[in-house]
Amino acid sequence: MSNDIQAGGISIHAVDVARGIPAAGLGVTLVRLSPDPAEIAHGTCGAGGHFDHPVAQGAGVLRGTYEVRFDVAAFYANSDLTLPDPAFMDVAVFRFGIDRVTEHFHLPFKFTPWGFSLFRGGA
């Protein structure tokens, strides 16, 4: 990839569908696995459930393979929802690839304490 190509970015929107609310405070880590392994984003979702990070505008995004990790058990531990100990789902992990780096990749993450849905959405 030449330096003058602008990556489309990776945006994330997380919703706790068990309670029907945006996942404010959900921990997110985005790692590029290849070609140049690096953690490119780490933080929490804001009040609307959006992960506000420069990666959404393309910072650190290259053609390659990625992994996003969502701290589901920690999110619920900080809420009023009681989970078994240990929780059924601790960290939800999703691997995906980016071929056309100029395209935007939107990842809507819908979850409960018992499972999740994640796909490439429209952005």
Side-chain angles (χ1 to χ4, degrees), residues 30-71:
L30 183 59
V31 177
R32 183 178 55 239
L33 300 173
S34 70
D36 180 24
E39 180 179 289
I40 63 170
H42 181 81
T44 59
C45 293
H50 296 278
F51 184 59
D52 185 22
H53 189 279
V55 74
Q57 286 74 46
V61 178
L62 305 171
R63 182 180 182 277
T65 305
Y66 293 80
E67 182 173 282
V68 61
R69 302 174 191 143
F70 299 95
D71 298 326

Side-chain angles (χ1 to χ4, degrees), residues 1-2 4-10 32 35 55-64 66 97-105 120:
M1 181 175 94
S2 74
D4 58 350
I5 294 176
Q6 176 62 41
I10 302 167
R32 183 178 55 239
V55 74
Q57 286 74 46
V61 178
L62 305 171
R63 182 180 182 277
Y66 293 80
I98 294 179
D99 179 36
R100 296 183 185 107
V101 74
T102 57
E103 294 179 359
H104 185 85
F105 288 76
R120 182 180 177 188

Side-chain angles (χ1 to χ4, degrees), residues 80-122:
D80 59 356
L81 191 63
T82 303
L83 295 181
D85 184 16
F88 176 74
M89 186 168 45
D90 183 16
V91 177
V93 178
F94 185 79
R95 283 193 180 180
F96 63 100
I98 294 179
D99 179 36
R100 296 183 185 107
V101 74
T102 57
E103 294 179 359
H104 185 85
F105 288 76
H106 180 64
L107 305 178
F109 180 62
K110 315 299 182 199
F111 67 100
T112 74
W114 314 109
F116 69 92
S117 170
L118 195 144
F119 54 93
R120 182 180 177 188

